[in-house]
Amino acid sequence: MSARPTLYPLASLSQFHSTPSAQDSIPRHVEDDLRAYGCKLIHQAGILLNQKQVAVATAQILLQRFFYVSSLKQFGVADIGMGALYLSSKLEECPVRMRDLINVYDLLLQRAAHTVASASSSSLHHPAEFKYTPMSYFGNTFYDLKEALVVSEMQILKRLGFDVQVVLPYGTLVNYMRLLGLTSRNEAVSMAWGYLNDALQTPVYALYAVPTVVSAAILLTTRRLGISLPSSPENCWWELFDVEWEDLWSVCGYIMRLYRERTTAEQVEIMGLLSKKDLRQWLEGRIT
Amino acid sequence: MTSAASSVSSADSSTHRKRSKWDCETDPALVASPQPPSKRRHIAMHHADVSPSLSTSPKRPAQSIFVPPRTRHPPLASSRSVYSYEKLNSIEEGSYGIVFRARDKQTGDIVALKKLKLDEEKYGFPITALREINALMLCRHDNVVGIREVVVGETLTQVFIVMDFIEHDLKTLLTLMPSPFLQSEIKTLMLQLLSAVSHCHSNWILHRDLKTSNLLMNNRGTIKVADFGLARRYGDPVGVGGMTQLVVTLWYRAPEILLGAKTYSTAIDMWSVGCIFAELLLKEPLFQAKAEIELISMIFKLLGPPTNDSWPEYSSLPLAKTITLPSPQPHQFRQKFPFLTIAGIDLLLSLLTYDPERRITAEEALQHPYFSEAPAPKHPDMFSSFPSAAAGERRRKPFSSPPAPARGGGHKLLTDLE
């Protein structure tokens, strides 16, 4: 019997064209950077929690999907990232303790807030070093974060229609690299693997099927390392994997735009918009 | 704007697709309907500076079945409201929640709504419910109950799984039906069960609670495996260890779990299948034990106690030391199942094998000679139908004579005549 491929959900054309955040007049580049930062937080939390990469990657893909059905004005990226990581840890059978996850997010958010604060107080030439203050045992921080966590998890499930099936790209990458005879070059394998992981901070896994994303990682790798593969019409290597050039190129664009140098001001601006409250204030400030 | 033009061009291109050597088989329906490429075109146009001209894809090879066209992927969609359904009657209530029969207000379809109990959840959405929903979505099969969607109520604590409504469960049917299933019927049911179990296992899902009350049957002779509340993924890279021993309803529980094995796999489902096979033959559960120890001794009695030969790992199991083995004796299957053919006994023995490594797999069992010897499996359409308790239908009493005339009424009738 043949195992049928899993038909995981992908954003539709209209969902891509006009995201809920865009409808709330959040600029595209801010949305993209916030999505990326939300995924970066998941990644950092995953490292601090010693969580498996499968759970981290799944959480990042769920976050990207979520913001095709919901607006950043309604749900902060930090909250949704925390909920997504909690959910994906259950899905991948490696559950994390709620308190551990909350502590880690509290640290990460405090650090971001510190960066924003020290950037705005421009009078200080040498900003104070960040020092983490653990949440007080009887304070409300824990319960507030816990509430946000539970609500986010439920909202992700509800707004994604409980279809949280995710297919990760790593197995496919190994197969494709073998097929193209690239596995003998270690630096090619690890570079392509790295591109796949970086792509987790972009929306491509919510927009394109796995073969397309994997082929994009291979294309970037071969171009970077100057490896030539059959690429002229009639004999294009990506056609082996049923990938369209336009799609492939678009995914490469998403990944490369992630590496664009951001100014400190741009970075700080994004770090100040992690909660829906901050984002709403910022939106109002822009209008007036 | 370009979508119309590009879909035309792709319709042209579909006529002279060339077959790629990577194709194993291509769904004809899949090739016939060209995927509307408007979506990718539009995405590509955002990077117009780098994208090549739009006319570069005139000939497209037919796609491999492993890369379904993007139109086959469902869009991201939120849960609908439970008010899309009209409640008809409640079917049963279990520890996990209540099951209702309901009607889809749009299509008129009759469905089963399973309400999850979420009120006392301390750790967010319960992992067991997640596993159940995921397993059902992953294991779509003719003999697995179909999940339609998951709908929500007004608050975040109201979640309902919408499934196909199936008239009977096999347990109730076995107790109510006047005579046991025929051999030909048992073969059909077993083939369906084995193909469902094999499908789940090939998708890396263990059911962990196979029993007759979790096998639903419709009036067209088809059984559907249901209640994936204990199901979970298994095998690499999902956690192999750390699986609980608190699985499978006692009567259907495999000996390795009873003896505290830390890891177990697909073989535990196959033991349950063996118990179900025996139950279909006997018209009552095979091992009706009240507790673990009683169950172990019943198993020892029917199979003969395990030996180094029949189950080499037995002595290394955590609870093996606590049990004193009875004196060796041969198995009692022939006495218990006097009318079963030799092939039938062999299948039962292969399913109820001590050593999980040597227990037959679902895939192998489907090829067992029992299913090819006479009598052949009965076609599902030839099964008789039964009144459905879940739909609130009553069984007509077999010999119900009309009631005796009521005295008062008869008297009145007479007076009326006067």
Side-chain angles (χ1 to χ4, degrees), chain A residues 175-218:
Chain A
N175 283 338
Y176 286 10
M177 295 287 269
R178 270 208 192 130
L179 210 70
L180 296 170
L182 296 172
T183 37
S184 54
R185 297 188 57 170
N186 268 334
E187 80 272 32
V189 179
S190 55
M191 186 179 287
W193 194 275
Y195 277 125
L196 283 187
N197 281 336
D198 289 350
L200 287 166
Q201 294 182 18
T202 72
V204 295
Y205 289 99
L207 293 173
Y208 297 94
V210 164
T212 311
V213 182
V214 170
S215 299
I218 295 175

Side-chain angles (χ1 to χ4, degrees), chain A:
Chain A
M1 61 189 298
S2 68
R4 287 255 150 198
T6 315
L7 288 169
Y8 44 91
L10 293 172
S12 70
L13 178 60
S14 57
Q15 282 165 337
F16 164 77
H17 260 315
S18 159
T19 64
S21 304
Q23 286 168 29
D24 280 338
S25 56
I26 296 168
R28 185 40 78 97
H29 73 274
V30 173
E31 177 177 351
D32 282 350
D33 280 3
L34 270 176
R35 284 169 177 260
Y37 198 82
C39 290
K40 209 174 278 179
L41 282 177
I42 293 176
H43 187 74
Q44 290 169 342
I47 290 170
L48 290 174
L49 288 164
N50 220 348
Q51 182 54 293
K52 291 183 183 166
Q53 170 63 11
V54 285
V56 173
T58 303
Q60 288 167 318
I61 295 172
L62 291 179
L63 178 137
Q64 293 290 355
R65 285 185 190 168
F66 181 81
F67 286 109
Y68 281 109
V69 287
S70 313
S71 165
L72 286 155
K73 205 176 157 187
Q74 305 295 327
F75 300 94
V77 271
D79 286 353
I80 293 302
M82 187 164 62
L85 187 54
Y86 191 57
L87 175 62
S88 71
S89 302
K90 289 179 189 169
L91 292 172
E92 294 299 327
E93 300 290 348
C94 43
V96 289
R97 278 182 62 209
M98 242 178 192
R99 188 170 272 278
D100 294 342
L101 179 60
I102 289 171
N103 275 329
V104 162
Y105 258 87
D106 185 47
L107 164 85
L108 294 173
L109 292 176
Q110 269 192 40
R111 195 159 68 184
H114 172 83
T115 313
V116 174
S118 49
S120 60
S121 57
S122 51
S123 57
L124 284 172
H125 284 289
H126 41 88
E129 208 170 288
F130 170 64
K131 196 167 173 304
Y132 175 59
T133 339
M135 57 180 90
S136 93
Y137 194 80
F138 298 105
N140 273 333
T141 324
F142 177 77
Y143 295 99
D144 291 346
L145 280 168
K146 185 181 166 182
E147 177 67 18
L149 172 57
V150 172
V151 169
S152 306
E153 183 193 35
M154 205 56 223
Q155 286 289 354
I156 295 169
L157 284 169
K158 189 178 144 186
R159 284 164 181 261
L160 295 179
F162 288 80
D163 189 348
V164 284
Q165 299 185 70
V166 168
V167 173
L168 296 179
Y170 305 109
T172 310
L173 176 72
V174 173
N175 283 338
Y176 286 10
M177 295 287 269
R178 270 208 192 130
L179 210 70
L180 296 170
L182 296 172
T183 37
S184 54
R185 297 188 57 170
N186 268 334
E187 80 272 32
V189 179
S190 55
M191 186 179 287
W193 194 275
Y195 277 125
L196 283 187
N197 281 336
D198 289 350
L200 287 166
Q201 294 182 18
T202 72
V204 295
Y205 289 99
L207 293 173
Y208 297 94
V210 164
T212 311
V213 182
V214 170
S215 299
I218 295 175
L219 180 69
L220 289 173
T221 305
T222 49
R223 293 243 169 139
R224 185 89 191 277
L225 296 177
I227 301 169
S228 55
L229 289 175
S231 307
S232 48
E234 297 296 311
N235 287 311
C236 296
W237 62 267
W238 52 88
E239 284 185 359
L240 283 182
F241 309 128
D242 297 305
V243 174
E244 298 273 348
W245 172 259
E246 288 93 330
D247 297 352
L248 185 60
W249 199 243
S250 162
V251 174
C252 291
Y254 272 106
I255 298 176
M256 291 314 289
R257 261 178 292 154
L258 197 64
Y259 303 132
R260 181 175 65 84
E261 202 72 51
R262 266 78 164 171
T263 63
T264 320
E266 278 177 315
Q267 286 177 35
V268 168
E269 181 173 49
I270 292 301
M271 281 191 203
L273 301 177
L274 300 182
S275 73
K276 62 181 176 196
K277 205 181 97 212
D278 292 334
L279 189 91
R280 283 177 185 177
Q281 269 177 11
W282 177 81
L283 274 176
E284 279 166 25
R286 271 166 57 90
I287 293 162
T288 51

Side-chain angles (χ1 to χ4, degrees), chain B residues 211-271:
Chain B
K211 54 176 172 178
T212 44
S213 55
N214 282 343
L215 299 180
L216 307 182
M217 184 170 169
N218 64 16
N219 275 333
R220 292 165 300 288
T222 307
I223 57 167
K224 312 256 184 189
V225 176
D227 199 347
F228 282 66
L230 286 175
R232 71 163 277 180
R233 290 164 72 187
Y234 73 96
D236 194 58
V238 185
V240 177
M243 292 177 25
T244 172
Q245 280 112 51
L246 288 173
V247 289
V248 192
T249 305
L250 184 64
W251 295 350
Y252 304 86
R253 201 177 296 162
E256 64 268 27
I257 319 175
L258 286 168
L259 294 167
K262 288 280 185 298
T263 58
Y264 49 82
S265 188
T266 53
I268 65 156
D269 280 343
M270 297 316 293
W271 179 276

Side-chain angles (χ1 to χ4, degrees), chain B residues 57-117:
Chain B
S57 55
K59 52 192 178 318
R60 224 172 106 61
Q63 280 180 299
S64 146
I65 57 158
F66 298 106
V67 186
R70 97 151 277 136
T71 42
R72 295 268 300 271
H73 289 271
L76 300 168
S78 298
S79 291
R80 295 200 299 161
S81 156
V82 72
Y83 296 112
S84 317
Y85 293 92
E86 176 191 351
K87 193 169 114 182
L88 297 175
N89 62 294
S90 64
I91 301 172
E92 57 170 335
E93 177 162 7
S95 52
Y96 45 80
I98 312 168
V99 184
F100 298 103
R101 199 166 68 103
R103 180 188 289 121
D104 187 327
K105 285 180 186 166
Q106 265 179 14
T107 62
D109 291 355
I110 301 295
V111 298
L113 276 186
K114 181 168 174 176
K115 183 176 199 281
L116 301 173
K117 278 187 176 162

